[in-house]
Amino acid sequence: MRELSLNILDIVMNSIEAGATRVITAIVESPSRNLLQIAVRDNGRGMSDELARSVLDPFVTTRTTRAVGMGLPLFRQTALLAGGDLRIDSQIGKGTTVIAFMQLHNLNRPPLGNIVDTMMNLMTASPNVHFFYAHLTDGGRFCFDSFRLFSIMAEHDCSIYEAADRARQNFENGLRRIGARLF
Amino acid sequence: MKTLEDLRAIREKAQRELASRSSAAKYRISVAMGTCGIAAGARNVMSAILDELNKRNVTQAVVTQTGCLGYCDQEPMVQVTGPNNVTITYGKVTPEAARRIVDEHILKDSVVSAYVFKQG
Ligand code: FES
């Protein structure tokens, strides 16, 4: 993947396939701590410890583990190369949390890329899932709740596509305000 | 300032509206968002579809995401299910191709044969 926001999309798709109705994406971007941390937490069906371990192994080829989390070993590799790692914390029936962390100032760290497109596409195509996005920098915090799309729909009496288009601006401005490095 | 009650009402209204729109929709467009699909550019394909639907004020289609369809070499893939539940699967879809699919398939009922990977 050329952008971390694509890894995020991939992880969130795993959550949706695991039946999640709530997905929280949190990004911590801290130049002072030389840290970029990406966490995705869902309330999907969860995995056993054994599956959570095997899902990180690129050489596991059984069909069931392939279907979920094919991108997880890739994401972990990316994190390792950028001086970090990736961990999975999962409980059957409760949900899964994936946390990737890396050095912000590492030459091997891919750019975050277009996180706005990633989140807006998810929110538009899966309106039944409640998405929450939080982005923290040394300069502040920006949050976006997919509920806001519904508010915009109601306020402007428009389609979800138009609402997403309007929300995009808001999202970008919010990230800019806290000094997030988008690309 | 909206109360929690107001918010709940807005959400319910929006969800009712979405449900009625999606049952009235003639076409269902679904973008394959498995790992290879994403790596091959599925996100930008989806953005192009959403942008085109918004710009042209299309109401007869809904967009969803699906996981892997199992044909890595054909990614990014887009499926369009029309009336009578016939599904056309498009392969190697670029953002430009995606805009054409909205223009020709969704708005003019004409399959974009150049990108068809599988029919039915
Ligand atoms: S994700 Fe590999 S073929 Fe779809």
Side-chain angles (χ1 to χ4, degrees):
Chain A
M1 304 279 181
R2 292 176 308 272
E3 303 177 0
L4 294 170
S5 60
L6 293 177
N7 293 105
I8 294 173
L9 178 56
D10 185 58
I11 303 295
V12 178
M13 282 308 297
N14 292 341
S15 297
I16 294 175
E17 286 187 15
T21 56
R22 208 162 10 88
V23 182
I24 300 168
T25 305
I27 297 184
V28 177
E29 180 188 334
S30 172
S32 65
R33 286 191 286 157
N34 189 18
L35 173 74
L36 179 67
Q37 182 174 294
I38 293 167
V40 174
R41 173 183 216 131
D42 69 48
N43 66 343
R45 70 179 72 90
M47 294 179 273
S48 65
D49 285 349
E50 192 195 354
L51 182 57
R53 258 195 307 277
S54 72
V55 110
L56 284 179
D57 181 349
F59 301 109
V60 173
T61 52
T62 64
R63 194 63 215 172
T64 45
T65 52
R66 264 297 182 226
V68 284
M70 192 178 129
L72 278 164
L74 284 173
F75 195 12
R76 179 163 190 231
Q77 196 57 33
T78 300
L80 285 167
L81 285 170
D85 203 351
L86 179 147
R87 294 198 187 115
I88 299 178
D89 174 23
S90 192
Q91 242 181 307
I92 287 189
K94 289 251 160 65
T96 300
T97 303
V98 174
I99 298 183
F101 54 95
M102 50 204 100
Q103 294 172 341
L104 186 67
H105 310 297
N106 190 301
L107 284 176
N108 291 319
R109 179 187 62 80
L112 180 58
N114 199 338
I115 189 69
V116 183
D117 257 20
T118 292
M119 295 312 302
M120 295 321 298
N121 287 8
L122 283 166
M123 292 180 192
T124 314
S126 299
N128 296 327
V129 179
H130 187 171
F131 293 100
F132 187 77
Y133 177 85
H135 197 126
L136 279 81
T137 64
D138 290 346
R141 180 178 65 172
F142 168 73
C143 298
F144 192 98
D145 189 314
S146 61
F147 186 76
R148 212 186 280 186
L149 275 188
F150 297 145
S151 296
I152 296 173
M153 276 177 79
E155 196 179 323
H156 298 272
D157 191 25
C158 65
S159 70
I160 193 161
Y161 309 118
E162 192 186 331
D165 197 48
R166 288 171 182 272
R168 178 170 269 118
Q169 206 58 44
N170 184 292
F171 206 121
E172 277 167 17
N173 291 341
L175 289 177
R176 215 168 284 130
R177 199 186 61 239
I178 59 167
R181 271 172 264 195
L182 290 180
F183 295 97
Chain B
M1 191 58 199
K2 289 192 180 83
T3 66
L4 214 58
E5 258 330 290
D6 294 339
L7 292 175
R8 203 167 291 134
I10 290 171
R11 165 156 49 191
E12 274 163 20
K13 179 169 175 275
Q15 273 169 341
R16 263 200 310 278
E17 237 171 78
L18 284 169
S20 80
R21 264 182 207 150
S22 98
S23 63
K26 203 166 146 197
Y27 289 107
R28 177 169 299 273
I29 306 172
S30 95
V31 182
M33 289 278 189
T35 303
C36 348
I38 293 170
R43 187 193 62 196
N44 294 352
V45 165
M46 172 152 224
S47 300
I49 293 173
L50 296 176
D51 183 52
E52 207 61 28
L53 292 178
N54 178 42
K55 270 197 201 135
R56 301 165 139 241
N57 229 323
V58 179
T59 50
Q60 70 264 44
V62 288
V63 180
T64 58
Q65 296 149 328
T66 52
C68 175
L69 298 172
Y71 303 95
C72 295
D73 60 319
Q74 291 293 323
E75 301 279 10
M77 301 179 88
V78 172
Q79 291 187 309
V80 177
T81 305
N84 327 327
N85 275 330
V86 178
T87 298
I88 305 287
T89 304
Y90 292 105
K92 301 188 180 167
V93 180
T94 59
E96 294 68 40
R99 289 181 193 274
R100 259 185 80 187
I101 292 168
V102 172
D103 178 51
E104 296 173 34
H105 195 149
I106 307 298
L107 290 168
K108 301 187 184 125
D109 285 308
S110 154
V111 172
V112 189
S113 45
Y115 293 98
V116 173
F117 163 61
K118 214 169 82 186
Q119 255 184 73

